[in-house]
Amino acid sequence: MENLPCSTKLKSRAKSLRKAGNYAEVVFWQHVHKGKFHKIDFDRQRIIGNFIVDFYIKTLGLIIEIDGESHNEKEDYDEKREEYLKSLGLKVFKTTNFRVLHDLGNVMKELEEFIIENYSLIN
């Protein structure tokens, strides 16, 4: 997806999130960066509108969110955020920190299946 809205006010925040690195996100990143996952290019901590998403695949318009404790008691915010992202024509794949850290193989398989079902790109 080209030309997504982007709040420039969030650039330093996105950069600091990339540097700080939530452990589960770092583990996931190690399995997908540099085309390790079906040669797909992932962006990390991408700004879309007034939000920063964990991972983004530009060629697919796919957001990958790895939710941790910071999302507890933020259901309304997360729901509105997801509605906004979907209104841009984007798809969202969600998992949790726990699953990335304790069941990464199945998370990667589910992501692969999600891409196959929604895009028919991986064979």
Side-chain angles (χ1 to χ4, degrees), residues 3-68:
N3 302 320
L4 290 172
C6 174
S7 173
T8 56
K9 294 182 273 185
L10 293 174
K11 283 189 177 187
S12 64
R13 174 81 176 127
K15 186 176 181 179
S16 67
L17 286 170
R18 278 191 298 274
K19 271 188 164 181
N22 161 310
Y23 184 61
E25 290 175 14
V26 171
V27 168
F28 182 83
W29 180 242
Q30 291 301 314
H31 283 81
V32 299
H33 82 293
K34 296 183 182 178
K36 290 179 183 176
F37 183 75
H38 298 285
K39 301 189 184 334
I40 295 172
D41 183 33
F42 286 72
D43 291 338
R44 190 168 166 215
Q45 301 301 330
R46 170 72 185 265
I47 302 167
I48 300 175
N50 290 316
F51 302 103
I52 300 172
V53 300
D54 295 333
F55 298 93
Y56 179 64
I57 303 172
K58 183 177 182 178
T59 56
L60 301 178
L62 175 60
I63 294 164
I64 294 94
E65 283 294 304
I66 301 173
D67 292 346

Short mmCIF file of all heavy atoms in Angstrom, two decimals, residues 3-68:
data_model
loop_
_atom_site.label_atom_id
_atom_site.label_comp_id
_atom_site.label_asym_id
_atom_site.label_seq_id
_atom_site.Cartn_x
_atom_site.Cartn_y
_atom_site.Cartn_z
N ASN A 3 1.33 5.55 -0.01
CA ASN A 3 0.76 6.81 0.45
C ASN A 3 -0.19 6.70 1.64
O ASN A 3 -1.26 7.29 1.63
CB ASN A 3 0.05 7.51 -0.71
CG ASN A 3 1.00 7.77 -1.85
OD1 ASN A 3 2.15 8.13 -1.64
ND2 ASN A 3 0.53 7.56 -3.06
N LEU A 4 0.21 5.96 2.64
CA LEU A 4 -0.59 5.91 3.86
C LEU A 4 -0.34 7.18 4.66
O LEU A 4 0.75 7.74 4.62
CB LEU A 4 -0.18 4.70 4.71
CG LEU A 4 -0.58 3.34 4.16
CD1 LEU A 4 0.06 2.25 5.00
CD2 LEU A 4 -2.08 3.18 4.13
N PRO A 5 -1.35 7.65 5.39
CA PRO A 5 -1.14 8.83 6.23
C PRO A 5 -0.07 8.53 7.29
O PRO A 5 0.06 7.39 7.75
CB PRO A 5 -2.50 9.07 6.87
CG PRO A 5 -3.26 7.82 6.70
CD PRO A 5 -2.69 7.09 5.53
N CYS A 6 0.70 9.56 7.64
CA CYS A 6 1.80 9.37 8.58
C CYS A 6 2.00 10.64 9.39
O CYS A 6 2.30 11.69 8.83
CB CYS A 6 3.07 9.03 7.80
SG CYS A 6 4.54 8.93 8.80
N SER A 7 1.83 10.55 10.70
CA SER A 7 2.05 11.69 11.58
C SER A 7 3.54 11.84 11.84
O SER A 7 4.14 10.99 12.52
CB SER A 7 1.30 11.50 12.90
OG SER A 7 1.64 12.53 13.79
N THR A 8 4.14 12.90 11.32
CA THR A 8 5.57 13.11 11.51
C THR A 8 5.92 13.36 12.97
O THR A 8 7.06 13.18 13.36
CB THR A 8 6.07 14.28 10.64
OG1 THR A 8 5.30 15.45 10.94
CG2 THR A 8 5.93 13.95 9.16
N LYS A 9 4.94 13.73 13.77
CA LYS A 9 5.17 13.96 15.21
C LYS A 9 5.59 12.67 15.93
O LYS A 9 6.15 12.73 17.01
CB LYS A 9 3.92 14.53 15.88
CG LYS A 9 3.53 15.91 15.42
CD LYS A 9 2.33 16.41 16.18
CE LYS A 9 1.08 15.93 15.47
NZ LYS A 9 -0.16 16.47 16.05
N LEU A 10 5.32 11.52 15.32
CA LEU A 10 5.63 10.24 15.96
C LEU A 10 6.98 9.66 15.57
O LEU A 10 7.36 8.59 16.05
CB LEU A 10 4.52 9.24 15.64
CG LEU A 10 3.15 9.54 16.23
CD1 LEU A 10 2.11 8.55 15.70
CD2 LEU A 10 3.19 9.50 17.74
N LYS A 11 7.72 10.34 14.69
CA LYS A 11 8.98 9.77 14.19
C LYS A 11 9.97 9.44 15.30
O LYS A 11 10.55 8.36 15.31
CB LYS A 11 9.62 10.71 13.17
CG LYS A 11 8.95 10.63 11.82
CD LYS A 11 9.73 11.39 10.78
CE LYS A 11 9.03 11.21 9.44
NZ LYS A 11 9.80 11.77 8.34
N SER A 12 10.18 10.36 16.24
CA SER A 12 11.16 10.08 17.30
C SER A 12 10.66 8.97 18.22
O SER A 12 11.45 8.15 18.71
CB SER A 12 11.50 11.34 18.09
OG SER A 12 10.36 11.81 18.77
N ARG A 13 9.35 8.91 18.45
CA ARG A 13 8.78 7.84 19.29
C ARG A 13 8.98 6.48 18.62
O ARG A 13 9.37 5.51 19.27
CB ARG A 13 7.28 8.10 19.53
CG ARG A 13 6.57 7.00 20.26
CD ARG A 13 6.79 7.06 21.75
NE ARG A 13 5.99 6.03 22.40
CZ ARG A 13 6.49 5.15 23.24
NH1 ARG A 13 7.75 5.20 23.58
NH2 ARG A 13 5.73 4.23 23.78
N ALA A 14 8.72 6.40 17.32
CA ALA A 14 8.91 5.14 16.59
C ALA A 14 10.37 4.71 16.64
O ALA A 14 10.68 3.53 16.84
CB ALA A 14 8.43 5.28 15.15
N LYS A 15 11.26 5.67 16.47
CA LYS A 15 12.70 5.36 16.51
C LYS A 15 13.10 4.84 17.89
O LYS A 15 13.84 3.86 18.00
CB LYS A 15 13.50 6.61 16.16
CG LYS A 15 14.98 6.35 16.04
CD LYS A 15 15.71 7.60 15.59
CE LYS A 15 17.20 7.33 15.46
NZ LYS A 15 17.93 8.52 14.99
N SER A 16 12.60 5.48 18.94
CA SER A 16 12.95 5.02 20.29
C SER A 16 12.36 3.64 20.58
O SER A 16 12.98 2.82 21.26
CB SER A 16 12.53 6.03 21.35
OG SER A 16 11.14 6.13 21.44
N LEU A 17 11.17 3.34 20.04
CA LEU A 17 10.59 2.01 20.22
C LEU A 17 11.44 0.95 19.51
O LEU A 17 11.62 -0.15 20.02
CB LEU A 17 9.15 1.97 19.70
CG LEU A 17 8.10 2.65 20.56
CD1 LEU A 17 6.77 2.75 19.81
CD2 LEU A 17 7.92 1.93 21.88
N ARG A 18 11.94 1.29 18.31
CA ARG A 18 12.80 0.35 17.60
C ARG A 18 14.08 0.08 18.39
O ARG A 18 14.54 -1.05 18.47
CB ARG A 18 13.15 0.89 16.21
CG ARG A 18 12.10 0.64 15.16
CD ARG A 18 12.58 0.95 13.76
NE ARG A 18 12.95 2.34 13.57
CZ ARG A 18 12.11 3.33 13.24
NH1 ARG A 18 10.83 3.06 13.06
NH2 ARG A 18 12.54 4.55 13.07
N LYS A 19 14.65 1.14 18.97
CA LYS A 19 15.88 0.99 19.74
C LYS A 19 15.66 0.20 21.02
O LYS A 19 16.46 -0.66 21.37
CB LYS A 19 16.45 2.37 20.10
CG LYS A 19 17.37 2.93 19.09
CD LYS A 19 18.01 4.18 19.65
CE LYS A 19 19.22 4.55 18.84
NZ LYS A 19 19.88 5.74 19.38
N ALA A 20 14.59 0.52 21.74
CA ALA A 20 14.32 -0.12 23.03
C ALA A 20 14.03 -1.60 22.85
O ALA A 20 14.55 -2.44 23.56
CB ALA A 20 13.17 0.58 23.74
N GLY A 21 13.17 -1.91 21.90
CA GLY A 21 12.88 -3.30 21.59
C GLY A 21 12.22 -4.10 22.69
O GLY A 21 12.87 -4.53 23.62
N ASN A 22 10.93 -4.27 22.58
CA ASN A 22 10.19 -5.21 23.41
C ASN A 22 10.75 -6.60 23.09
O ASN A 22 10.94 -6.94 21.92
CB ASN A 22 8.71 -5.05 23.04
CG ASN A 22 7.83 -6.19 23.43
OD1 ASN A 22 8.12 -7.35 23.17
ND2 ASN A 22 6.72 -5.85 24.05
N TYR A 23 11.04 -7.42 24.10
CA TYR A 23 11.72 -8.69 23.88
C TYR A 23 10.99 -9.59 22.87
O TYR A 23 11.62 -10.15 21.96
CB TYR A 23 11.94 -9.43 25.20
CG TYR A 23 12.74 -10.70 25.03
CD1 TYR A 23 14.04 -10.65 24.52
CD2 TYR A 23 12.20 -11.93 25.34
CE1 TYR A 23 14.78 -11.81 24.34
CE2 TYR A 23 12.93 -13.09 25.17
CZ TYR A 23 14.22 -13.03 24.67
OH TYR A 23 14.94 -14.18 24.49
N ALA A 24 9.68 -9.72 23.00
CA ALA A 24 8.93 -10.57 22.06
C ALA A 24 9.04 -10.03 20.64
O ALA A 24 9.17 -10.79 19.68
CB ALA A 24 7.47 -10.67 22.49
N GLU A 25 9.01 -8.71 20.49
CA GLU A 25 9.14 -8.11 19.16
C GLU A 25 10.53 -8.36 18.58
O GLU A 25 10.68 -8.61 17.39
CB GLU A 25 8.84 -6.62 19.21
CG GLU A 25 7.38 -6.33 19.47
CD GLU A 25 7.09 -4.85 19.64
OE1 GLU A 25 7.96 -4.01 19.30
OE2 GLU A 25 5.99 -4.52 20.11
N VAL A 26 11.55 -8.32 19.42
CA VAL A 26 12.91 -8.60 18.96
C VAL A 26 13.03 -10.05 18.50
O VAL A 26 13.61 -10.34 17.46
CB VAL A 26 13.95 -8.28 20.07
CG1 VAL A 26 15.34 -8.77 19.70
CG2 VAL A 26 13.97 -6.79 20.37
N VAL A 27 12.45 -10.97 19.26
CA VAL A 27 12.46 -12.39 18.88
C VAL A 27 11.76 -12.57 17.54
O VAL A 27 12.29 -13.24 16.63
CB VAL A 27 11.80 -13.26 19.98
CG1 VAL A 27 11.54 -14.68 19.49
CG2 VAL A 27 12.66 -13.27 21.24
N PHE A 28 10.58 -11.97 17.38
CA PHE A 28 9.86 -12.06 16.12
C PHE A 28 10.69 -11.46 14.98
O PHE A 28 10.82 -12.06 13.92
CB PHE A 28 8.51 -11.34 16.25
CG PHE A 28 7.66 -11.41 15.01
CD1 PHE A 28 6.87 -12.53 14.76
CD2 PHE A 28 7.67 -10.38 14.08
CE1 PHE A 28 6.09 -12.60 13.61
CE2 PHE A 28 6.89 -10.44 12.93
CZ PHE A 28 6.11 -11.56 12.70
N TRP A 29 11.26 -10.29 15.22
CA TRP A 29 12.07 -9.58 14.21
C TRP A 29 13.22 -10.46 13.73
O TRP A 29 13.52 -10.50 12.53
CB TRP A 29 12.58 -8.27 14.79
CG TRP A 29 13.42 -7.45 13.87
CD1 TRP A 29 14.71 -7.09 14.05
CD2 TRP A 29 13.01 -6.82 12.64
NE1 TRP A 29 15.14 -6.30 13.02
CE2 TRP A 29 14.12 -6.12 12.14
CE3 TRP A 29 11.81 -6.81 11.92
CZ2 TRP A 29 14.07 -5.41 10.94
CZ3 TRP A 29 11.76 -6.09 10.74
CH2 TRP A 29 12.88 -5.41 10.26
N GLN A 30 13.84 -11.20 14.64
CA GLN A 30 14.96 -12.07 14.27
C GLN A 30 14.52 -13.17 13.30
O GLN A 30 15.34 -13.68 12.54
CB GLN A 30 15.59 -12.70 15.52
CG GLN A 30 16.31 -11.70 16.39
CD GLN A 30 17.43 -10.99 15.65
OE1 GLN A 30 18.23 -11.61 14.96
NE2 GLN A 30 17.48 -9.68 15.79
N HIS A 31 13.24 -13.49 13.30
CA HIS A 31 12.73 -14.54 12.41
C HIS A 31 12.17 -14.02 11.09
O HIS A 31 11.84 -14.81 10.20
CB HIS A 31 11.66 -15.37 13.14
CG HIS A 31 12.26 -16.33 14.09
ND1 HIS A 31 12.67 -15.96 15.36
CD2 HIS A 31 12.56 -17.64 13.98
CE1 HIS A 31 13.19 -17.01 15.96
NE2 HIS A 31 13.14 -18.04 15.15
N VAL A 32 12.03 -12.69 10.98
CA VAL A 32 11.42 -12.16 9.75
C VAL A 32 12.28 -11.14 9.01
O VAL A 32 12.07 -10.93 7.81
CB VAL A 32 10.03 -11.53 10.02
CG1 VAL A 32 9.07 -12.57 10.59
CG2 VAL A 32 10.11 -10.28 10.88
N HIS A 33 13.24 -10.51 9.66
CA HIS A 33 13.99 -9.45 8.97
C HIS A 33 14.92 -10.03 7.91
O HIS A 33 15.23 -11.21 7.92
CB HIS A 33 14.73 -8.55 9.96
CG HIS A 33 16.04 -9.09 10.45
ND1 HIS A 33 16.13 -10.19 11.25
CD2 HIS A 33 17.29 -8.66 10.24
CE1 HIS A 33 17.40 -10.41 11.52
NE2 HIS A 33 18.12 -9.50 10.91
N LYS A 34 15.30 -9.19 7.00
CA LYS A 34 16.18 -9.55 5.88
C LYS A 34 15.61 -10.69 5.04
O LYS A 34 16.33 -11.54 4.54
CB LYS A 34 17.58 -9.90 6.38
CG LYS A 34 18.29 -8.75 7.05
CD LYS A 34 19.68 -9.12 7.47
CE LYS A 34 20.35 -7.96 8.17
NZ LYS A 34 21.69 -8.30 8.66
N GLY A 35 14.28 -10.71 4.91
CA GLY A 35 13.63 -11.69 4.04
C GLY A 35 13.65 -13.12 4.53
O GLY A 35 13.39 -14.04 3.76
N LYS A 36 13.90 -13.34 5.82
CA LYS A 36 13.97 -14.71 6.35
C LYS A 36 12.63 -15.44 6.29
O LYS A 36 12.60 -16.67 6.31
CB LYS A 36 14.46 -14.69 7.80
CG LYS A 36 15.90 -14.30 7.95
CD LYS A 36 16.29 -14.30 9.41
CE LYS A 36 17.72 -13.84 9.58
NZ LYS A 36 18.08 -13.74 11.01
N PHE A 37 11.55 -14.71 6.25
CA PHE A 37 10.21 -15.32 6.21
C PHE A 37 9.67 -15.16 4.79
O PHE A 37 9.14 -14.12 4.42
CB PHE A 37 9.29 -14.64 7.24
CG PHE A 37 7.92 -15.23 7.33
CD1 PHE A 37 7.70 -16.45 7.95
CD2 PHE A 37 6.84 -14.56 6.78
CE1 PHE A 37 6.42 -16.98 8.04
CE2 PHE A 37 5.56 -15.08 6.87
CZ PHE A 37 5.35 -16.30 7.50
N HIS A 38 9.89 -16.17 3.97
CA HIS A 38 9.40 -16.21 2.59
C HIS A 38 9.83 -14.99 1.76
O HIS A 38 9.08 -14.55 0.88
CB HIS A 38 7.87 -16.35 2.56
CG HIS A 38 7.39 -17.62 3.18
ND1 HIS A 38 7.51 -18.84 2.57
CD2 HIS A 38 6.83 -17.85 4.40
CE1 HIS A 38 7.02 -19.78 3.36
NE2 HIS A 38 6.61 -19.20 4.48
N LYS A 39 11.00 -14.44 2.09
CA LYS A 39 11.55 -13.30 1.35
C LYS A 39 10.63 -12.06 1.38
O LYS A 39 10.65 -11.22 0.49
CB LYS A 39 11.89 -13.68 -0.09
CG LYS A 39 12.91 -14.80 -0.19
CD LYS A 39 13.39 -15.02 -1.58
CE LYS A 39 14.31 -16.16 -1.78
NZ LYS A 39 15.13 -16.67 -0.79
N ILE A 40 9.81 -11.97 2.42
CA ILE A 40 8.89 -10.84 2.59
C ILE A 40 9.61 -9.75 3.38
O ILE A 40 10.28 -10.02 4.38
CB ILE A 40 7.61 -11.28 3.32
CG1 ILE A 40 6.83 -12.28 2.46
CG2 ILE A 40 6.74 -10.08 3.66
CD1 ILE A 40 5.64 -12.92 3.16
N ASP A 41 9.46 -8.49 2.94
CA ASP A 41 10.09 -7.36 3.59
C ASP A 41 9.16 -6.79 4.68
O ASP A 41 8.05 -6.37 4.38
CB ASP A 41 10.40 -6.28 2.55
CG ASP A 41 11.12 -5.09 3.14
OD1 ASP A 41 11.92 -5.28 4.07
OD2 ASP A 41 10.89 -3.96 2.65
N PHE A 42 9.63 -6.81 5.91
CA PHE A 42 8.88 -6.29 7.06
C PHE A 42 9.48 -4.96 7.49
O PHE A 42 10.69 -4.80 7.53
CB PHE A 42 8.99 -7.24 8.26
CG PHE A 42 8.20 -8.50 8.15
CD1 PHE A 42 8.57 -9.52 7.29
CD2 PHE A 42 7.09 -8.70 8.96
CE1 PHE A 42 7.85 -10.70 7.22
CE2 PHE A 42 6.35 -9.88 8.89
CZ PHE A 42 6.74 -10.88 8.02
N ASP A 43 8.62 -4.00 7.84
CA ASP A 43 9.04 -2.78 8.51
C ASP A 43 8.71 -2.93 9.98
O ASP A 43 7.69 -3.52 10.34
CB ASP A 43 8.29 -1.55 7.98
CG ASP A 43 8.65 -1.20 6.55
OD1 ASP A 43 9.74 -1.59 6.10
OD2 ASP A 43 7.84 -0.53 5.89
N ARG A 44 9.55 -2.34 10.82
CA ARG A 44 9.35 -2.43 12.26
C ARG A 44 8.99 -1.06 12.81
O ARG A 44 9.60 -0.06 12.44
CB ARG A 44 10.65 -2.93 12.89
CG ARG A 44 10.54 -3.28 14.33
CD ARG A 44 11.80 -4.02 14.74
NE ARG A 44 11.84 -4.07 16.18
CZ ARG A 44 12.92 -4.01 16.90
NH1 ARG A 44 14.09 -3.90 16.32
NH2 ARG A 44 12.86 -4.05 18.20
N GLN A 45 7.99 -0.99 13.70
CA GLN A 45 7.54 0.26 14.32
C GLN A 45 7.21 1.29 13.26
O GLN A 45 7.76 2.38 13.22
CB GLN A 45 8.57 0.78 15.32
CG GLN A 45 8.89 -0.17 16.44
CD GLN A 45 7.69 -0.57 17.27
OE1 GLN A 45 6.75 0.17 17.41
NE2 GLN A 45 7.71 -1.78 17.82
N ARG A 46 6.30 0.96 12.39
CA ARG A 46 5.89 1.81 11.27
C ARG A 46 4.76 2.75 11.71
O ARG A 46 3.83 2.33 12.38
CB ARG A 46 5.41 0.92 10.12
CG ARG A 46 4.74 1.61 8.98
CD ARG A 46 5.75 2.40 8.14
NE ARG A 46 5.05 3.14 7.12
CZ ARG A 46 4.87 2.71 5.88
NH1 ARG A 46 5.37 1.56 5.50
NH2 ARG A 46 4.21 3.45 5.02
N ILE A 47 4.88 4.01 11.34
CA ILE A 47 3.85 5.00 11.64
C ILE A 47 2.78 4.93 10.55
O ILE A 47 3.09 5.03 9.36
CB ILE A 47 4.44 6.42 11.69
CG1 ILE A 47 5.54 6.51 12.73
CG2 ILE A 47 3.33 7.44 11.96
CD1 ILE A 47 6.38 7.77 12.63
N ILE A 48 1.54 4.77 10.97
CA ILE A 48 0.40 4.82 10.05
C ILE A 48 -0.64 5.71 10.71
O ILE A 48 -1.17 5.38 11.77
CB ILE A 48 -0.18 3.41 9.76
CG1 ILE A 48 0.90 2.52 9.12
CG2 ILE A 48 -1.40 3.52 8.84
CD1 ILE A 48 0.47 1.08 8.90
N GLY A 49 -0.90 6.84 10.08
CA GLY A 49 -1.80 7.82 10.67
C GLY A 49 -1.21 8.33 11.96
O GLY A 49 -0.05 8.73 12.01
N ASN A 50 -1.99 8.28 13.04
CA ASN A 50 -1.52 8.71 14.36
C ASN A 50 -1.15 7.52 15.24
O ASN A 50 -1.19 7.62 16.47
CB ASN A 50 -2.59 9.56 15.05
CG ASN A 50 -2.76 10.89 14.38
OD1 ASN A 50 -1.78 11.55 14.04
ND2 ASN A 50 -3.99 11.31 14.16
N PHE A 51 -0.82 6.41 14.61
CA PHE A 51 -0.50 5.19 15.35
C PHE A 51 0.85 4.64 14.90
O PHE A 51 1.29 4.87 13.78
CB PHE A 51 -1.57 4.12 15.10
CG PHE A 51 -2.95 4.55 15.49
CD1 PHE A 51 -3.86 4.93 14.53
CD2 PHE A 51 -3.32 4.60 16.82
CE1 PHE A 51 -5.14 5.34 14.88
CE2 PHE A 51 -4.60 5.01 17.18
CZ PHE A 51 -5.50 5.38 16.21
N ILE A 52 1.47 3.90 15.80
CA ILE A 52 2.69 3.16 15.47
C ILE A 52 2.34 1.69 15.57
O ILE A 52 1.89 1.22 16.62
CB ILE A 52 3.84 3.50 16.44
CG1 ILE A 52 4.17 5.00 16.37
CG2 ILE A 52 5.08 2.67 16.09
CD1 ILE A 52 5.16 5.46 17.41
N VAL A 53 2.52 0.96 14.47
CA VAL A 53 2.22 -0.47 14.47
C VAL A 53 3.52 -1.24 14.67
O VAL A 53 4.60 -0.76 14.32
CB VAL A 53 1.50 -0.90 13.17
CG1 VAL A 53 0.18 -0.16 13.03
CG2 VAL A 53 2.36 -0.72 11.95
N ASP A 54 3.43 -2.43 15.24
CA ASP A 54 4.63 -3.20 15.56
C ASP A 54 5.40 -3.57 14.29
O ASP A 54 6.59 -3.32 14.18
CB ASP A 54 4.27 -4.47 16.34
CG ASP A 54 3.70 -4.17 17.71
OD1 ASP A 54 4.03 -3.10 18.28
OD2 ASP A 54 2.91 -4.99 18.21
N PHE A 55 4.70 -4.19 13.33
CA PHE A 55 5.33 -4.61 12.08
C PHE A 55 4.36 -4.33 10.93
O PHE A 55 3.15 -4.40 11.10
CB PHE A 55 5.67 -6.11 12.10
CG PHE A 55 6.66 -6.46 13.17
CD1 PHE A 55 6.24 -6.88 14.41
CD2 PHE A 55 8.02 -6.34 12.93
CE1 PHE A 55 7.15 -7.18 15.41
CE2 PHE A 55 8.94 -6.64 13.93
CZ PHE A 55 8.50 -7.06 15.17
N TYR A 56 4.93 -4.05 9.77
CA TYR A 56 4.11 -3.74 8.60
C TYR A 56 4.76 -4.33 7.37
O TYR A 56 5.97 -4.20 7.16
CB TYR A 56 3.97 -2.22 8.44
CG TYR A 56 3.15 -1.81 7.26
CD1 TYR A 56 1.80 -2.13 7.17
CD2 TYR A 56 3.72 -1.11 6.21
CE1 TYR A 56 1.04 -1.75 6.08
CE2 TYR A 56 2.97 -0.73 5.11
CZ TYR A 56 1.63 -1.06 5.05
OH TYR A 56 0.89 -0.70 3.96
N ILE A 57 3.94 -4.97 6.54
CA ILE A 57 4.39 -5.49 5.25
C ILE A 57 3.74 -4.63 4.18
O ILE A 57 2.55 -4.76 3.89
CB ILE A 57 4.01 -6.97 5.06
CG1 ILE A 57 4.57 -7.83 6.19
CG2 ILE A 57 4.50 -7.47 3.70
CD1 ILE A 57 4.09 -9.27 6.19
N LYS A 58 4.52 -3.73 3.63
CA LYS A 58 4.02 -2.74 2.67
C LYS A 58 3.41 -3.41 1.43
O LYS A 58 2.34 -3.01 0.97
CB LYS A 58 5.17 -1.82 2.26
CG LYS A 58 4.79 -0.70 1.34
CD LYS A 58 6.01 0.17 1.07
CE LYS A 58 5.68 1.34 0.20
NZ LYS A 58 6.85 2.20 -0.02
N THR A 59 4.07 -4.42 0.90
CA THR A 59 3.59 -5.06 -0.33
C THR A 59 2.22 -5.72 -0.15
O THR A 59 1.50 -5.92 -1.12
CB THR A 59 4.58 -6.10 -0.86
OG1 THR A 59 4.84 -7.06 0.17
CG2 THR A 59 5.88 -5.45 -1.30
N LEU A 60 1.87 -6.07 1.08
CA LEU A 60 0.60 -6.72 1.36
C LEU A 60 -0.42 -5.81 2.03
O LEU A 60 -1.60 -6.13 2.09
CB LEU A 60 0.80 -7.95 2.25
CG LEU A 60 1.72 -9.05 1.73
CD1 LEU A 60 1.85 -10.16 2.76
CD2 LEU A 60 1.22 -9.59 0.40
N GLY A 61 0.04 -4.71 2.59
CA GLY A 61 -0.86 -3.88 3.39
C GLY A 61 -1.27 -4.64 4.64
O GLY A 61 -2.42 -4.59 5.08
N LEU A 62 -0.29 -5.34 5.23
CA LEU A 62 -0.56 -6.20 6.39
C LEU A 62 0.19 -5.69 7.62
O LEU A 62 1.40 -5.47 7.57
CB LEU A 62 -0.15 -7.65 6.10
CG LEU A 62 -0.25 -8.65 7.25
CD1 LEU A 62 -1.67 -8.76 7.78
CD2 LEU A 62 0.29 -10.00 6.82
N ILE A 63 -0.53 -5.55 8.70
CA ILE A 63 0.03 -5.15 9.99
C ILE A 63 0.09 -6.38 10.88
O ILE A 63 -0.86 -7.15 10.94
CB ILE A 63 -0.87 -4.08 10.64
CG1 ILE A 63 -0.85 -2.81 9.81
CG2 ILE A 63 -0.47 -3.83 12.09
CD1 ILE A 63 -1.96 -1.84 10.13
N ILE A 64 1.23 -6.54 11.57
CA ILE A 64 1.36 -7.60 12.55
C ILE A 64 1.52 -6.92 13.91
O ILE A 64 2.42 -6.12 14.11
CB ILE A 64 2.58 -8.52 12.28
CG1 ILE A 64 2.38 -9.30 10.98
CG2 ILE A 64 2.76 -9.52 13.43
CD1 ILE A 64 2.98 -8.67 9.80
N GLU A 65 0.61 -7.23 14.82
CA GLU A 65 0.63 -6.67 16.17
C GLU A 65 0.93 -7.77 17.17
O GLU A 65 0.32 -8.84 17.13
CB GLU A 65 -0.73 -6.04 16.51
CG GLU A 65 -0.95 -4.70 15.85
CD GLU A 65 0.00 -3.63 16.37
OE1 GLU A 65 0.04 -3.39 17.60
OE2 GLU A 65 0.73 -3.06 15.56
N ILE A 66 1.90 -7.49 18.04
CA ILE A 66 2.25 -8.42 19.11
C ILE A 66 1.88 -7.72 20.41
O ILE A 66 2.58 -6.82 20.86
CB ILE A 66 3.74 -8.78 19.06
CG1 ILE A 66 4.08 -9.42 17.71
CG2 ILE A 66 4.10 -9.70 20.22
CD1 ILE A 66 5.55 -9.66 17.49
N ASP A 67 0.76 -8.13 20.97
CA ASP A 67 0.22 -7.45 22.15
C ASP A 67 0.77 -8.01 23.44
O ASP A 67 0.77 -9.21 23.66
CB ASP A 67 -1.31 -7.55 22.16
CG ASP A 67 -1.96 -6.77 21.04
OD1 ASP A 67 -1.27 -5.93 20.41
OD2 ASP A 67 -3.16 -6.98 20.80
N GLY A 68 1.21 -7.10 24.29
CA GLY A 68 1.70 -7.47 25.61
C GLY A 68 0.84 -6.83 26.68
O GLY A 68 -0.30 -6.42 26.43
#
